[in-house]
Amino acid sequence: MDVTVPTAELAETAGNAVRVLSGRVVDPVLSGLLISAESDGFVLAGTDRERSFHARCPGVTRRGGRVLVPGRPFAETLRALAEPEVRLAVEGARLAVRTAGGRFALPLLDIDFHPGVDEPPQVVGTVAGSVLAAAVPPVAAAASSDETVPAFTGIRVRSEGERLVLVATDRYRLAVCSLPWEPRRGGLDVLVPAAVLAETARQVRGTSRVSLHHTAGDAERVALTWLESTVTSGVLASPFPDEAKFFSAEAECSVTVRADVLAASVRRVAPYAGPYSSITLEVGDGEVWVRGSDPSTGEAEERVEVGICGERVSRAYRATYLAEALNAYGEATIRFGMRGIRQGSIITAVDARPGGIELRYLVMPLVPR
């Protein structure tokens, strides 16, 4: 193999690949990246058996070939280089990454033991890349990172006609986002690892269209493709709660306020949230007091002007969860509906959001001790 490739594009592609693939595999072969130099381009691919990545980059091939190298060192080497182009050449049992003034040699892994990267399954629909990139992050933030309960580490992706619904919960908060899409065949209802979908959403920013693929059966898989890139993942088989029942009860008190204004107040009071990270929202006449108290650092309170409908109530929330929910709405005006002490408070946008996105967020209040 002997090929010259633009450094920035290859570094970005390699970085995207290692972020998609799991970094906890024991087999070094599965932590490697497949590099293929072909007459019509340069391909980078990898798989950890549960997830896979495939992307094509521009390049000038002098001699074709296919090698397997350690993925993370390869990506980190490229990221540190400033030269506009790099030359990749096999030299004995090494892949040399050459620049005008340097050489970085990576060991070749045994490509014969690599399982290869499968083609994506059939397309079930498409969605605008910018819309998907905006819709996924607030939902992914509500997913759990505790892998002892796999269902809550995923995002449920469900089609409802010409809308695609994304749902995630860690049992303390729940996010539901609906966005427009163009269905091609059948329906879709899968539980996708949130980390995979969040990373993919980051990569598709600025992309015109993203295709969603799905295959059912014993080896059920989903894939997303855009431009010259593909990310494939297995699905989580665990059951997932129906979100509809969590949004049914009426609010005791509804507050209308700009999300960024309330979020900024929460952020300023958060250092005083105490050992349980508790922020209290106390509703008065045309105002909400944001309060926090910590025996070791003191207390803080701040007044925010709001619109009020309903009873005057007081609810406590975990500061981080409340801030993340509010941040998902940016500068939009929201309606914050407070319900019973053991029922989640519901946040919705008052006006339509760009791209046809509809986001609902539920945050559980803290039960008084």
Side-chain angles (χ1 to χ4, degrees):
M1 174 188 291
D2 190 350
V3 62
T4 300
V5 189
T7 307
E9 293 185 30
L10 182 57
E12 181 180 7
T13 303
N16 289 342
V18 298
R19 282 190 294 270
V20 167
L21 304 177
S22 173
R24 292 174 293 179
V25 294
V26 176
D27 188 348
V29 169
L30 296 179
S31 67
L33 289 179
L34 283 168
I35 301 173
S36 303
E38 304 167 352
S39 58
D40 60 344
F42 182 84
V43 175
L44 203 63
T47 182
D48 58 13
R49 296 191 187 276
E50 287 298 318
R51 310 169 185 177
S52 65
F53 179 91
H54 182 282
R56 185 175 294 273
C57 298
V60 177
T61 301
R62 296 181 182 84
R63 185 168 59 252
R66 189 166 178 261
V67 297
L68 181 67
V69 298
R72 194 165 296 278
F74 180 67
E76 291 176 351
T77 297
L78 293 167
R79 185 180 59 186
L81 298 177
E83 285 78 359
E85 293 184 332
V86 291
R87 184 176 180 181
L88 307 180
V90 173
E91 299 176 356
R94 297 283 188 272
L95 176 71
V97 180
R98 288 188 172 274
T99 64
R103 173 181 177 271
F104 309 87
L106 297 158
L108 299 180
L109 303 176
D110 194 337
I111 197 170
D112 293 334
F113 289 96
H114 195 275
V117 178
D118 295 332
E119 292 294 319
Q122 287 185 303
V123 176
V124 293
T126 65
V127 62
S130 58
V131 173
L132 187 67
V136 169
V139 179
S144 175
S145 58
D146 182 4
E147 295 188 357
T148 60
V149 189
F152 296 118
T153 65
I155 295 177
R156 185 181 184 184
V157 182
R158 183 179 73 244
S159 61
E160 294 182 353
E162 295 184 351
R163 304 289 295 183
L164 194 66
V165 181
L166 312 178
V167 188
T169 182
D170 61 1
R171 294 167 290 178
Y172 304 103
R173 55 217 170 132
L174 186 151
V176 182
C177 189
S178 169
L179 59 149
W181 85 316
E182 296 179 4
R184 294 279 185 86
R185 66 172 187 86
L188 182 66
D189 192 352
V190 292
L191 191 57
V192 184
V196 176
L197 203 53
E199 174 56 30
T200 304
R202 187 194 66 80
Q203 296 182 24
V204 302
R205 291 187 192 130
T207 302
S208 59
R209 302 301 294 179
V210 177
S211 296
L212 276 71
H213 307 245
H214 175 244
T215 181
D218 294 336
E220 187 175 14
R221 304 187 73 74
V222 293
L224 295 94
T225 60
W226 67 100
L227 300 177
E228 298 286 343
S229 300
T230 301
V231 170
T232 306
S233 173
V235 302
L236 301 171
S238 303
F240 199 79
D242 180 7
E243 77 277 4
K245 63 182 180 181
F246 297 105
F247 292 93
S248 57
E250 293 293 327
E252 294 180 13
C253 175
S254 183
V255 172
T256 304
V257 63
R258 259 183 53 170
D260 59 328
V261 173
L262 185 56
S265 181
V266 170
R267 188 165 55 249
R268 287 187 288 268
V269 174
Y272 300 87
Y276 300 107
S277 186
S278 174
I279 290 283
T280 299
L281 301 185
E282 184 175 327
V283 182
D285 292 327
E287 63 189 19
V288 165
W289 283 95
V290 182
R291 292 191 169 101
S293 178
D294 185 348
S296 62
T297 60
E299 61 275 339
E301 62 179 12
E302 189 168 289
R303 176 179 172 272
V304 179
E305 293 185 0
V306 298
I308 304 292
C309 179
E311 301 178 13
R312 305 302 182 256
V313 301
S314 177
R315 296 285 183 270
Y317 304 90
R318 185 160 296 183
T320 302
Y321 295 168
L322 182 58
E324 287 181 352
L326 294 170
N327 288 337
Y329 291 88
E331 298 179 356
T333 298
I334 60 168
R335 185 171 291 109
F336 196 119
M338 301 181 189
R339 304 187 294 177
I341 193 62
R342 297 184 184 277
Q343 294 177 303
S345 298
I346 299 172
I347 306 174
T348 57
V350 172
D351 301 315
R353 306 193 73 204
I357 295 174
E358 298 175 2
L359 177 64
R360 292 179 293 166
Y361 215 109
L362 182 147
V363 184
M364 291 299 297
L366 297 174
V367 178
R369 294 179 176 273

